[in-house]
Amino acid sequence: MTPANATASTLTDAADLAGTVVTITDPVPGMRRSEPIIFEVPVRVDAPLWWAETATGERVLCQRLATRSSTDSTALVVTLSFEGSASLRLTGPCEEASPTGIAELPGKEADCFVRLDTGAFDLEMCSGTAQGTGASKWGLRHFRGTEDGLELLPSGNNAIGGFYGPFFTPENGLINPPEHTVVEIETIEKGPVMHHYRMKGTIPDGLLDELKGKSFTIDWIFTHGTPFFQRRYLVDPFRTVINGRSVDNKITVGDEFEGGQGELVFDRFAAYQGTVYRSGDPYAGELVEMVRDTLETSTEDNPKFAEFRRELKDIEAAHWDLYWRMFCTWEGVLSDDEIRERLGRVRAESHMKADLTSRVWEISSEPVNVSAMPHETIFQGAANKTAELHEASGRAMVWWTSEPSGAFQIVQRKQSGWVNWGSNGENECPELPVGVDIKTAYGTFAENWKVVADQLEQPPHVAVNGSAN
């Protein structure tokens, strides 16, 4: 029924929109699986859900996107599996009370904002608790692929999606915003086809004045059945110096995974154009040695220091974040003066060792066995399409960024089972420009991960009744 206040351009009658044809063509070869297709019609439509029919007669659900629609145009999203090309014809509003699509599940963590079954993933988004432990991080603290059933974050003590540098560096003396911040989460879109959330947070102040008072937002988008998700990070403008270099609005995004001691969920790394890397992490070695020295020689005597001494009893198996947190002003383990003095020594030594000619650049056309490298770490050069792979199972996580990150740090540490993908170079220097789009895919596609990466980079072309969207 048309509302009394509807304008001439308002279309709410099924007959007004039924018959609209959407044509989709793929610029790259390969099968698309539940690809999100967003298209716009030049009229206002109030019905939240519409049915469409493919050329083969399959019925698919379209969701109205409220935040992308206006008084004279409407955006709709549908997920579609096809190869090469496809077409849709809108048939009418969906009157079903609960059509099949993204489902919400009971959360596992106390700070769970939402747990979703997207059809491809079972994931849990958490707001964090700011308690300074691995289990207090905001981000995705559980992530399971529904195809293989593997949980990539079983303990909830790590997270996908944290962002760190330049706030996560020795120069700042503030470690891990995901562990020391609670985020507010706003629901932007919510329906059976798409969920869109926006995180908002304030970074606790560290020791550098130019990095104080900074806030951030992160947009996350999940679509039904799609084997990838999307995100974008925005941070208040900043400029500082890290690793002796100017850093202007560049960040480190860190995705973590865990397999338990002795187990790796990913045991290889590859970049699209070939892996160009240096192995080892001198800075990590210097930091660990300074942790040992601090435990042995610091004159601090407070309950927090005693707590860290207990937690770091088995230093090799300890959570990596504990090393950082000991030198974090937020934690209060050490005085600011001692933090500056000790990290000054770490910094000077690690900056020198990072660029010694003995650390040669390697070029590999094959995926790299990172856990066989010194410190179970490599630093990859600039790239926009990268992947972490598991050789035996064929599972893969693939990342595409709309602008290349200048460097990456990849860790695959068997002792703890911790795996990391970070958009930073040596000595925690952030390299990913703020504001880029990131698409992250997961599935059993180690053999064809480059095809997946191309699909992430190049979405299908869409036209409505002959006009491109």
Side-chain angles (χ1 to χ4, degrees), residues 136-354:
S136 68
K137 297 179 180 180
W138 51 260
L140 304 184
R141 288 231 304 281
H142 290 286
F143 189 97
R144 180 177 65 87
T146 54
E147 183 179 57
D148 63 9
L150 180 70
E151 166 69 83
L152 300 181
L153 292 163
S155 77
N157 289 330
N158 291 291
I160 295 171
F163 94 88
Y164 305 89
F167 310 91
F168 177 53
T169 59
E171 283 91 335
N172 194 20
L174 173 77
I175 310 309
N176 265 6
E179 293 182 353
H180 299 144
T181 305
V182 173
V183 296
E184 295 180 2
I185 304 177
E186 176 186 2
T187 302
I188 306 298
E189 303 282 356
K190 181 178 178 181
V193 182
M194 175 189 284
H195 280 225
H196 177 178
Y197 300 100
R198 179 168 297 151
M199 287 182 170
K200 300 178 182 179
T202 299
I203 301 163
D205 291 340
L207 300 181
L208 290 182
D209 289 339
E210 68 269 24
L211 295 180
K212 292 181 179 180
K214 301 299 181 181
S215 296
F216 63 92
T217 64
I218 308 171
D219 281 67
W220 302 75
I221 296 176
F222 310 98
T223 48
H224 182 235
T226 306
F228 67 85
F229 61 93
Q230 306 176 59
R231 51 193 149 142
R232 177 186 291 177
Y233 296 72
L234 295 175
V235 187
D236 290 344
F238 60 83
R239 178 176 294 165
T240 189
V241 175
I242 302 295
N243 196 29
R245 298 174 53 201
S246 176
V247 172
D248 194 310
N249 297 327
K250 291 192 294 185
I251 59 174
T252 296
V253 171
D255 289 351
E256 302 174 299
F257 314 97
E258 55 187 41
Q261 291 188 14
E263 298 292 333
L264 293 172
V265 296
F266 301 113
D267 55 17
R268 298 293 187 275
F269 171 82
Y272 190 92
Q273 303 292 350
T275 308
V276 181
Y277 69 97
R278 293 199 302 184
S279 62
D281 185 3
Y283 171 65
E286 292 298 320
L287 185 65
V288 172
E289 287 308 308
M290 184 53 72
V291 170
R292 295 186 199 275
D293 184 77
T294 305
L295 292 172
E296 293 172 1
T297 67
S298 177
T299 59
E300 283 289 348
D301 182 17
N302 61 67
K304 199 71 173 180
F305 191 91
E307 176 188 330
F308 271 71
R309 191 185 295 278
R310 289 192 301 271
E311 292 288 337
L312 289 163
K313 187 175 182 179
D314 184 357
I315 194 168
E316 293 297 333
H319 198 296
W320 178 254
D321 290 348
L322 284 169
Y323 306 160
W324 288 105
R325 287 172 49 207
M326 174 171 280
F327 303 108
C328 171
T329 186
W330 185 94
E331 292 280 357
V333 178
L334 306 172
S335 70
D336 287 355
D337 286 344
E338 186 168 358
I339 290 172
R340 290 183 186 277
E341 190 278 327
R342 288 186 176 276
L343 290 183
R345 283 190 274 157
V346 170
R347 210 158 51 239
E349 193 70 12
S350 57
H351 287 188
M352 177 272 294
K353 288 185 175 180

Side-chain angles (χ1 to χ4, degrees), residues 367-442:
V368 176
N369 181 359
V370 178
S371 66
M373 300 296 166
H375 304 117
E376 299 83 32
T377 302
I378 65 170
F379 289 92
Q380 158 72 25
N384 70 335
K385 291 181 281 191
T386 56
E388 296 209 51
L389 319 167
H390 187 258
E391 190 173 50
S393 69
R395 61 177 170 264
M397 187 75 79
V398 181
W399 292 264
W400 166 79
T401 58
S402 58
E403 293 181 30
S405 177
F408 295 88
Q409 180 177 10
I410 307 300
V411 184
Q412 295 175 351
R413 183 170 289 120
K414 278 189 175 180
Q415 297 99 310
S416 62
W418 185 70
V419 173
N420 181 69
W421 176 93
S423 62
N424 62 282
E426 302 269 5
N427 300 310
E428 300 299 326
C429 188
E431 291 289 357
L432 183 70
V434 168
V436 306
D437 293 313
I438 304 174
K439 292 182 181 178
T440 308
Y442 175 72

